[in-house]
Amino acid sequence: MKLTDNVLRSFRVAKVFRENSDKINCFDFSSNGETVISSSDDDSIVLYDCQEGKPKRTLYSKKYGVDLIRYTHAANTVVYSSNKIDDTIRYLSLHDNKYIRYFPGHNKRVVALSMSPVDDTFISGSLDKTIRLWDLRSPNCQGLMHLQGKPVCSFDPEGLIFAAGVNSEMVKLYDLRSFDKGPFATFKLQYERTCEWTGLKFSNDGKLILVSSNGGTLRLLDAFKGAILHSFGGYNNSKGVVLEASFTPDSQFVMIGSEDGKIHVWNAESGMKVALLDGKHTGPVTCLQFNPKFMTFASACSNMAFWLPTIDD
């Protein structure tokens, strides 16, 4: 089944889970699409089975808190940042709920975490104005970049380059093998005083970069030339909430939640809005991602919702 405007418009909430007492700050699908794992401000980690549509287990990170949870490539392991006590990144085995390794180094809150799609490398960005490069097999930082402001960062789908959004006005592209030589491309965007960038993602085909902010605009960039292809607005975000924006796996559509619980979808090529979906969320839709393998997506406030299409196009 192919994603089309009509199929997207037909998506409805199939299941709602109320496992959390506070907002879900992040979730991540496994690469096979069979599970999704969430982190929440209530210090819990909840693992869901996407095929059976139910929560499988809940773990807690009471001491350190949990944010920016990401699957690694090894089965049943995740990395996540702390939002209490310190700013160390933790590598956890879900199998026995034990830490495998700690990654200390940042001295302010970690605001971006991206796992390489191909190996054990990951990058983190922090309010300490640095991006650090790590390898899951070593607690020592493998590379450090000092920047002019708060960074957002992400790997490209091939894991060869990573992009850093700096100071809410520049996107810098680095070659992973020679990042110490500085960026090989820098795209300067018009600075918006009223908001700051909160996320940066590549499309799966590697051709597009999506920059999200805590304002009311999303920007879609050409990943090679840096030109702004589209700016998407018209969704509610008056309180400066961090709303996650995502591509569909086919790179054809862009979606974001809003503070009123609705989900907005645009065609990435034409820039036209194709759907406005009501998830009946009780708060802002802080997390939103499409399943990488199956025709379903998930959205979250303090509740988690699984969506399914209601037509076969």
Side-chain angles (χ1 to χ4, degrees):
M1 185 168 159
K2 202 163 158 291
L3 258 188
T4 62
D5 293 8
N6 281 341
V7 170
L8 268 167
R9 276 187 212 110
S10 83
F11 269 85
R12 298 292 179 269
V13 174
K15 268 202 171 153
V16 178
F17 306 99
R18 296 177 176 85
E19 304 296 304
N20 296 99
S21 59
D22 206 336
K23 81 161 194 200
I24 294 168
N25 52 41
C26 186
F27 64 70
D28 192 34
F29 281 101
S30 58
S31 56
N32 61 12
E34 289 171 11
T35 64
V36 63
I37 194 158
S38 69
S39 54
S40 165
D41 287 357
D42 65 11
D43 307 331
S44 70
I45 295 168
V46 184
L47 181 67
Y48 297 87
D49 185 315
C50 296
Q51 290 168 309
E52 291 182 25
K54 62 181 191 199
K56 276 189 11 179
R57 52 190 295 224
T58 301
L59 306 171
Y60 291 94
S61 180
K62 289 273 186 220
K63 186 175 173 187
Y64 304 108
V66 55
D67 201 349
L68 299 175
I69 197 159
R70 302 280 185 260
Y71 273 113
T72 70
H73 300 291
N76 272 329
T77 60
V78 291
V79 289
Y80 64 82
S81 66
S82 324
N83 52 21
K84 297 200 295 202
I85 297 194
D86 65 14
D87 305 290
T88 298
I89 296 163
R90 293 178 162 79
Y91 180 24
L92 178 71
S93 163
L94 302 172
H95 170 67
D96 50 8
N97 196 18
K98 288 199 166 64
Y99 292 117
I100 302 166
R101 199 159 282 116
Y102 302 101
F103 304 96
H106 287 300
N107 54 36
K108 284 192 179 161
R109 193 163 62 90
V110 174
V111 290
L113 196 57
S114 177
M115 192 76 216
S116 162
V118 294
D119 62 21
D120 285 337
T121 312
F122 67 98
I123 50 175
S124 57
S126 160
L127 294 179
D128 63 17
K129 300 182 183 176
T130 65
I131 287 177
R132 287 177 180 264
L133 183 66
W134 309 88
D135 187 305
L136 283 173
R137 295 162 293 192
S138 161
N140 304 321
C141 175
Q142 307 292 303
L144 173 63
M145 292 182 327
H146 293 275
L147 303 158
Q148 260 63 64
K150 173 194 156 178
V152 286
C153 53
S154 182
F155 277 99
D156 83 315
E158 257 123 43
L160 297 172
I161 67 170
F162 63 89
V166 186
N167 222 20
S168 303
E169 60 177 343
M170 271 178 293
V171 176
K172 294 171 179 278
L173 302 184
Y174 295 86
D175 187 316
L176 191 60
R177 290 155 303 191
S178 56
F179 71 91
D180 47 338
K181 293 188 173 69
F184 65 82
T186 299
F187 310 137
K188 194 157 181 350
L189 278 66
Q190 195 176 348
Y191 182 61
E192 292 176 284
R193 276 200 318 278
T194 52
C195 63
E196 58 177 36
W197 293 358
T198 53
L200 182 152
K201 288 184 184 180
F202 280 90
S203 56
N204 274 348
D205 63 9
K207 293 177 181 170
L208 304 167
I209 294 173
L210 185 61
V211 177
S212 48
S213 74
N214 61 1
T217 315
L218 277 178
R219 286 162 167 173
L220 189 66
L221 274 62
D222 179 310
F224 298 102
K225 301 191 182 88
I228 296 177
L229 302 172
H230 298 292
S231 289
F232 303 117
Y235 57 93
N236 289 351
N237 191 16
S238 60
K239 297 185 181 75
V241 180
V242 177
L243 304 170
E244 181 178 23
S246 290
F247 287 101
T248 51
D250 60 7
S251 309
Q252 301 300 305
F253 299 94
V254 166
M255 51 205 306
I256 192 169
S258 64
E259 66 184 6
D260 59 10
K262 294 189 169 60
I263 287 160
H264 299 250
V265 188
W266 295 268
N267 183 302
E269 193 172 2
S270 71
M272 298 294 287
K273 186 170 282 190
V274 296
L276 177 60
L277 306 168
D278 192 354
K280 304 279 193 291
H281 279 288
T282 52
V285 182
T286 44
C287 306
L288 176 68
Q289 279 177 42
F290 218 93
N291 187 303
K293 291 284 185 278
F294 300 104
M295 190 59 81
T296 172
F297 69 85
S299 60
C301 53
S302 58
N303 302 334
M304 172 78 93
F306 284 6
W307 298 69
L308 290 170
T310 51
I311 59 166
D312 306 324
D313 205 26

